[in-house]
Amino acid sequence: MHREEDASSLDGTLVLRLGYDGGAYAGFAEQPTETTVAGEVRRALEVFLRRPIELTCAGRTDAGVHAVGQYVSIPVTADELAVPRSRWMRAFPALLPHDIAVSEVFHAAPGFSARFDARSRTYTYRIATGDAPPLLTRSVTWWHRWPLDVAAMDDAAQRLVGERDFKSFCKTSSAIGRPTHRCVQAVSFARECSLGEECLAFTIRGNAFLHSMVRTIVGTLVEVGCHRREPAWIDEVLAACDRAAAGPTAPACGLCFMDVAYDEGALVRCP
């Protein structure tokens, strides 16, 4: 393909939808001494394109968090945009580790950003209850064991919908000097069965999320589901704007980044 290009020669944006099992990674974002999803994806793209690249993701996931609908964007040249989808899809399985997979390739306009052009992001957290732990789905669920009052949890969760200050629900150090208001657009609970194993799936959609926000929300909702707290307690937690007011942070393994929404027509499937 091409060697290093200067910015003036970049004619469009390549966008990848990818998934990963986060168990072996120290999160999405690159870190100098850690194995990360972004590091593996960047290396694969640089091998294919034979030049350094700049990669932007829709949302950084923490260590151990999974994804099926993460999006990344890469500025590319006209020649690189001309690479057919079939060639990309043949190359990625050979270039990426077995626990990272590209599911679709898109084109977008110059300057498109997987992060800044996202209209919403959706996460699902899966919890298994019961005396027996999940076996085949154990890496993607939190085995909580104890029964949960889903109606009470839903009552509590609905109190999070709307524009709110979620400072109580994020990692304390990440909130210092940064805005903590976010808009939660929808929350829901559903029973799921995968490979014969049942779980409770909590899905949340919002414009953006703070560091550990979804996992802290889940840990807080579980306090309600166990009847250690009443649903109205969520109102007090929001008002406190203090991480100490909320419940524990749920384990990373149960969280999955499900999807990102963009403006209609912003992404065009690679031919």
Side-chain angles (χ1 to χ4, degrees), residues 72-225:
V72 297
S73 54
I74 310 101
V76 291
T77 66
D79 286 348
E80 291 163 351
L81 283 174
V83 175
R85 178 183 182 276
S86 59
R87 188 174 172 194
W88 285 112
M89 298 306 286
R90 285 196 306 269
F92 283 125
L95 296 173
L96 288 168
H98 72 280
D99 47 10
I100 303 175
V102 172
S103 58
E104 194 53 88
V105 182
F106 300 96
H107 293 166
F112 176 89
S113 168
R115 177 185 177 190
F116 294 109
D117 287 303
R119 298 307 180 200
S120 68
R121 298 157 174 87
T122 300
Y123 287 83
T124 294
Y125 195 100
R126 294 174 172 87
I127 307 171
T129 59
D131 294 335
L135 178 62
L136 299 179
T137 59
R138 64 187 180 279
S139 64
V140 294
T141 56
W142 172 23
W143 180 42
H144 179 262
R145 185 186 299 234
W146 310 114
L148 294 169
D149 184 339
V150 180
M153 293 172 71
D154 185 61
D155 183 349
Q158 296 302 330
R159 298 165 186 265
L160 301 170
V161 176
E163 184 80 28
R164 304 278 190 272
D165 187 340
F166 285 95
K167 189 174 183 179
S168 294
F169 293 94
C170 73
K171 190 174 182 180
T172 302
S173 59
S174 69
I176 298 174
R178 297 177 181 176
T180 51
H181 281 76
R182 297 292 187 273
C183 181
V184 170
Q185 299 163 351
V187 294
S188 64
F189 287 91
R191 294 286 182 183
E192 291 185 354
C193 184
S194 179
L195 298 171
E197 298 177 339
E198 293 187 357
C199 71
L200 175 65
F202 169 67
T203 297
I204 183 168
R205 186 180 78 244
N207 65 336
F209 293 90
L210 301 166
H211 191 181
S212 298
M213 178 174 157
V214 178
R215 291 166 57 202
T216 306
I217 286 174
V218 171
T220 303
L221 294 176
V222 164
E223 292 292 294
V224 175

Side-chain angles (χ1 to χ4, degrees), residues 28 56-60 69-73 113-116 118 120-121 123 207-208 257 259-260 262:
F28 185 89
T56 302
C57 71
R60 295 181 177 183
Q70 171 73 277
Y71 285 72
V72 297
S73 54
S113 168
R115 177 185 177 190
F116 294 109
S120 68
R121 298 157 174 87
Y123 287 83
N207 65 336
F257 189 5
D259 197 17
V260 186
Y262 296 101

